[in-house]
Amino acid sequence: MEKFDEATQKELSTFLEKEQAQAKINSSIHTLTNMCWTKCITGTPSTRFSHGEERCLANCVERFLDTSLFMVKRIEEQRVQAS
């Protein structure tokens, strides 16, 4: 990247940060999908989930998101305190 001018380096850096953030999101979605599917889908998949499976999937996603948000907030708090 040293061959590029400062504006191009900044643009590339921003692009890479966005791509890395998107990759993290995709990884989280994959983890969520795999974890909740394994936990909640107990029967043979068909055209519809059972009531229990729907409820389990909804709860699983909500807990995953709650935990993720808690962790992000906690890490941000620690980062601010370290500054």
Side-chain angles (χ1 to χ4, degrees), residues 62-79:
E62 288 174 8
R63 296 301 74 78
F64 183 86
L65 293 175
D66 288 345
T67 302
S68 295
L69 287 173
F70 173 79
M71 291 174 65
V72 167
K73 287 178 183 178
R74 182 72 177 131
I75 291 168
E76 181 63 21
E77 289 171 1
Q78 290 175 346
R79 188 185 67 77

Side-chain angles (χ1 to χ4, degrees), residues 3-61:
K3 295 180 181 179
F4 298 115
D5 63 19
E6 195 172 321
T8 303
Q9 286 181 8
K10 184 173 180 170
E11 185 178 341
L12 285 172
S13 179
T14 301
F15 173 77
L16 288 173
E17 287 175 9
K18 287 180 182 178
E19 289 297 310
Q20 289 172 338
Q22 185 63 46
K24 285 181 183 179
I25 290 170
N26 289 341
S27 176
S28 292
I29 290 170
H30 176 73
T31 300
L32 168 67
T33 301
N34 188 42
M35 179 182 61
C36 291
W37 184 272
T38 301
K39 178 180 173 137
C40 297
I41 307 304
T42 57
T44 303
S46 65
T47 57
R48 293 187 47 85
F49 295 123
S50 71
H51 181 69
E53 290 171 334
E54 284 182 25
R55 188 175 43 224
C56 180
L57 287 168
N59 287 334
C60 184
V61 169

